[in-house]
Amino acid sequence: MQTISAPHVMQFPAWMARGAARQSDTRPASAPNEARRSFAKEAGIFTQGDQAQSYYRVMAGTVRTYRVLSDGRRQIDAFHVPGDIFGIEMGEVRSMSADAVEPVTLLQYRNQPLAELATDDPEFAQQVMGAMLQALERAQAHIMLLGRKSAVEKLATFLLGIADRLSGLGCVDLPMSRIDIADHLGLTIETVSRSLTQLERARYIELPAHRRSIILKNISALRRLDS
Amino acid sequence: MQTISAPHVMQFPAWMARGAARQSDTRPASAPNEARRSFAKEAGIFTQGDQAQSYYRVMAGTVRTYRVLSDGRRQIDAFHVPGDIFGIEMGEVRSMSADAVEPVTLLQYRNQPLAELATDDPEFAQQVMGAMLQALERAQAHIMLLGRKSAVEKLATFLLGIADRLSGLGCVDLPMSRIDIADHLGLTIETVSRSLTQLERARYIELPAHRRSIILKNISALRRLDS
DNA sequence: CGAAAGTTTGAGGCACTTCAAAGGGCGTGG
DNA sequence: CCACGCCCTTTGAAGTGCCTCAAACTTTCG
């Protein structure tokens, strides 16, 4: 049984606090707090360990965010497509890296105290909150995938999800390589390839020649694998 | 290459919207929006599919939140200990279940529009934001664990994390069973047990008789496994 | 057209699972 | 206080899904 002692003080991001000290706070308060930025394919957007001073909304392209262990093992926690917000951090330092899977256009937002944001632009504040909750929900679904699903089930779930977000079910043009998929699903590229072949042989999907687009032939069967 | 079409409209939780319709909104606006609730060991707090009308802060005890696949496979996404906030949902329906690992005391908060909360009690609004970000950060770390770590590494990471949160490093009194640990780490109970034995034989930990407390003997070695 | 990179396929190995049984703790009742 | 039974945990043995290593194939791009 837990002691009934005072609950730990809840941490919260320093930059959210009203009046938190920030460098380069010389911009006029009225200036739009956003900047358009573009990145080439495979370009880094930020890196584990960087100072976290802003977050982003994807306008075009696909971004991957990931962590790397000391020995090089990589885990991609999410792909971000147009409309998604990513890069909000708890601490002052990046816990993740991000880079462009394909050419990307982003809107960059400087971190800003929540109270200020809620006052200045309540609708946008809502969207930011919503983005955080959506990221959390997706992370939780991904935890289920990684912890308890087989390789084929992982692929089925992934294909349904990415198709839905990128193009609507039916056909996807995958922006990412097999390596990226493997590092997202906790598999090796060989297992990704074999599982796709397996889904193709079962007539659940079709793999056209250039290997980057995938046609979902039997969506209800894929959903069944998705449980 | 992505089309540069208008980004998807960002979803956000309906209950956050100012003026969102809510049932039973007859309570006076000034009433404290919190209620103390207690649950017995193994009691359910909410279930996948329920209406999500509130969230909780743990005062005492330990809570697990989890998803279950149609065939019964379970994945515990997190354990929540005193000070933690859990149960904030994106949609109107619970995507997770929660129950008490041991006797639990909670504070229950009704969902409330963000703008209202930010005005009424900005400090608490910060804490809620912080709780969401902390949950996200932990989920991301857990994704790395599930996707890329070996069984022994998973145990090392888990023990360091839970000890730190429950009692400070050195010694933990685990509130949860091996089954819970297995379903959290994406393993079977047998593998959990074998990995603990392995850590014990390496003199990294010690397992006293009653099997529920664990002494961390070699924290730096455990951290090395944690990468 | 040729080189390079990405993907698929094959063979063998290993980490973790599955199935099975034995070994404690703990509470109850004698 | 000890004996009994239940449940949780540990240990063992065999199986398997995914990984590793290796090579062939395909697509892309200079």
Side-chain angles (χ1 to χ4, degrees):
Chain A
M1 175 72 172
Q2 220 55 48
T3 58
I4 321 240
S5 63
H8 308 149
V9 174
M10 176 63 53
Q11 307 279 343
F12 59 89
W15 58 266
M16 275 186 188
R18 192 192 292 277
R22 280 170 295 150
Q23 314 108 302
S24 72
D25 204 352
T26 51
R27 68 186 166 76
S30 59
N33 179 23
E34 67 179 51
R36 180 172 296 264
R37 302 200 52 188
S38 290
F39 294 87
K41 184 173 175 173
E42 300 298 314
I45 297 165
F46 54 76
T47 304
Q48 239 166 332
D50 285 358
Q51 286 290 112
Q53 291 170 336
S54 48
Y55 54 97
Y56 302 85
R57 181 203 288 264
V58 182
M59 303 305 286
T62 305
V63 171
R64 62 174 171 250
T65 49
Y66 59 94
R67 293 180 183 218
V68 179
L69 292 180
S70 53
D71 64 355
R73 281 173 285 177
R74 184 179 71 155
Q75 177 65 43
I76 296 177
D77 78 308
F79 295 107
H80 307 276
V81 303
D84 291 348
I85 292 175
F86 72 94
I88 305 180
E89 290 277 348
M90 172 90 191
E92 305 199 339
V93 162
R94 295 278 178 210
S95 62
M96 316 263 305
S97 302
D99 39 47
V101 171
E102 52 181 344
V104 155
T105 305
L106 305 175
L107 285 184
Q108 177 179 37
Y109 305 95
R110 295 243 133 218
N111 292 344
Q112 189 180 180
L114 173 61
E116 190 183 301
L117 184 63
T119 308
D120 291 4
D121 189 345
E123 195 188 327
F124 184 66
Q126 295 282 7
Q127 288 189 17
V128 173
M129 281 289 269
M132 284 170 43
L133 281 173
Q134 190 166 46
L136 183 57
E137 169 115 7
R138 283 184 187 152
Q140 290 166 342
H142 204 58
I143 283 172
M144 167 57 95
L145 178 148
L146 291 170
R148 287 296 179 227
K149 291 187 180 177
S150 70
V152 170
E153 289 170 338
K154 286 177 178 179
L155 262 298
T157 302
F158 172 71
L159 290 177
L160 285 172
I162 200 74
D164 189 40
R165 293 169 63 200
L166 277 179
S167 51
L169 299 170
C171 181
V172 218
D173 214 337
L174 294 178
M176 73 288 288
S177 70
R178 299 287 187 267
I179 294 182
D180 284 340
I181 298 174
D183 283 353
H184 183 48
L185 302 183
L187 300 169
T188 60
I189 55 174
E190 295 94 331
T191 300
V192 169
S193 185
R194 277 186 257 266
S195 300
L196 287 174
T197 303
Q198 211 171 319
L199 288 172
E200 187 180 32
R201 276 203 269 264
R203 309 278 175 204
Y204 291 1
I205 64 173
E206 231 171 67
L207 298 166
H210 46 66
R211 259 75 256 283
R212 277 302 177 96
S213 58
I214 294 187
I215 301 164
L216 308 186
K217 302 280 287 183
N218 190 339
I219 291 177
S220 55
L222 290 171
R223 274 202 226 283
R224 221 171 304 125
L225 285 177
D226 194 2
S227 292
Chain B
M1 175 70 172
Q2 220 55 46
T3 59
I4 319 242
S5 63
H8 309 148
V9 174
M10 176 63 52
Q11 308 279 342
F12 59 89
W15 58 267
M16 275 186 189
R18 191 191 293 274
R22 280 170 294 151
Q23 313 109 301
S24 71
D25 204 352
T26 50
R27 70 188 165 75
S30 58
N33 179 23
E34 67 180 50
R36 181 172 295 263
R37 302 201 54 188
S38 288
F39 294 87
K41 184 175 174 171
E42 299 298 315
I45 297 166
F46 54 75
T47 304
Q48 238 166 334
D50 285 358
Q51 287 290 112
Q53 291 168 338
S54 49
Y55 53 97
Y56 302 86
R57 182 203 289 263
V58 181
M59 302 304 286
T62 305
V63 171
R64 61 174 173 252
T65 49
Y66 59 95
R67 293 180 183 217
V68 179
L69 291 180
S70 53
D71 64 356
R73 280 174 285 177
R74 183 179 71 154
Q75 176 65 42
I76 295 176
D77 79 306
F79 295 106
H80 307 276
V81 302
D84 291 349
I85 292 176
F86 72 95
I88 305 180
E89 289 278 348
M90 172 88 191
E92 305 199 341
V93 162
R94 295 275 178 214
S95 62
M96 314 264 303
S97 302
D99 39 47
V101 171
E102 53 180 342
V104 155
T105 306
L106 306 175
L107 285 184
Q108 177 179 37
Y109 305 95
R110 297 242 132 220
N111 291 344
Q112 189 180 181
L114 174 62
E116 191 183 299
L117 184 65
T119 307
D120 291 5
D121 189 346
E123 194 187 327
F124 183 67
Q126 296 282 5
Q127 288 189 18
V128 173
M129 280 291 269
M132 284 170 43
L133 280 174
Q134 190 167 42
L136 183 57
E137 169 116 6
R138 283 184 187 154
Q140 289 166 343
H142 204 56
I143 282 172
M144 166 57 94
L145 178 149
L146 291 170
R148 287 294 178 229
K149 290 188 180 177
S150 71
V152 169
E153 290 170 337
K154 286 177 179 179
L155 262 298
T157 302
F158 172 71
L159 291 178
L160 285 172
I162 201 73
D164 189 41
R165 293 169 62 200
L166 278 179
S167 51
L169 299 170
C171 181
V172 218
D173 213 338
L174 294 178
M176 72 290 286
S177 70
R178 299 286 188 266
I179 294 183
D180 284 341
I181 298 174
D183 283 352
H184 183 48
L185 301 183
L187 300 168
T188 60
I189 55 173
E190 294 95 332
T191 300
V192 169
S193 184
R194 277 186 256 264
S195 301
L196 286 175
T197 303
Q198 211 171 318
L199 288 172
E200 187 180 31
R201 276 204 268 263
R203 309 278 178 203
Y204 292 2
I205 63 173
E206 232 171 67
L207 298 166
H210 45 66
R211 259 75 253 284
R212 276 303 176 95
S213 59
I214 294 185
I215 301 164
L216 308 185
K217 302 280 287 184
N218 191 339
I219 291 177
S220 55
L222 290 171
R223 273 202 228 284
R224 220 171 303 123
L225 285 176
D226 193 3
S227 295

